[in-house]
Amino acid sequence: MTDDLDAKLIEQGRKLFAGDWQFIWASPSIETLPPMQGLEVAFAGRSNVGKSSLINALTGRNALARTSHTPGRTQELIFFEGPQDANFRLVDMPGYGYASAPKAKIASWTSLIHNFLQGRSTLARVYVLIDARHGLKEVDQDVLNTLDKSAVSYQIVLTKADQVKPAELAQRRVDVEAALRKHPAAYPELLVTSSRTGDGMPELRAAMIKLIGERSR
């Protein structure tokens, strides 16, 4: 992309996410999902990877998505809707890989996540959040494999980049990009973010604007 196009997408992203964003729905099961309309992007990741903090940073709100220091607190698919004319939603998915939760509950969350990924035609992309301090784990690979099988486009977003030294972060990028080459549904560009500093948020917003444009053609 040219610098002019980048700047245009970033400005359009800023305007979209500066608009009115509201919580609209919480679904504990596939049967309770809201009707499909417009476009949706979902945020997946291990428990405590920072999904809610990322959504708050994206929208410039401190408490749109509920954050918690207790892993596994989000147990439903949480839907947020943007400005009315945008017809665009964000979905905060239950964190996976929380080993301390009861096995039955883990199975229920896992089933909800996988069924949602496989049966939602309005789902344009999944942003899979990976903690920059730890990189890809085996439990992440399971979700990537599900996304590959479902043919759902997804993109990796490294979170908490401010908590990693530059040299370590650079190596983490190389490692994750190498792993992604084995996954056919993965979007090749890696995004690096920090909810605390705001780094990477303009680029993530711009990526969504580009996606909206591609899907509306």
Side-chain angles (χ1 to χ4, degrees), residues 130-136 158 161 164-181 190 192:
I130 303 295
D131 192 322
R133 299 171 299 178
H134 308 305
L136 282 167
L158 292 181
V164 182
K165 293 179 180 178
E168 185 181 349
L169 182 61
Q171 185 59 51
R172 187 78 70 222
R173 290 191 65 152
V174 170
D175 293 344
V176 172
E177 286 169 348
L180 285 182
R181 287 194 280 271
L190 190 68
V192 180

Side-chain angles (χ1 to χ4, degrees), residues 39-44 88-91 93 116-117 120-128 147 151-157 185-189 191 203-212 214-215:
L39 284 184
E40 297 169 341
V41 297
F43 297 90
F88 187 58
R89 293 173 175 172
L90 309 178
V91 187
M93 303 180 70
F116 175 75
L117 294 178
R120 194 78 175 168
S121 62
T122 47
L123 183 60
R125 179 165 297 162
V126 176
Y127 290 96
V128 182
L147 289 164
V152 176
S153 169
Y154 63 91
Q155 188 167 10
I156 300 295
V157 178
Y187 196 80
E189 183 182 355
L191 293 167
E203 290 78 12
L204 179 52
R205 296 184 191 112
M208 294 186 203
I209 292 294
K210 184 179 178 184
L211 177 64
I212 292 170
E214 290 171 349
R215 288 292 294 261

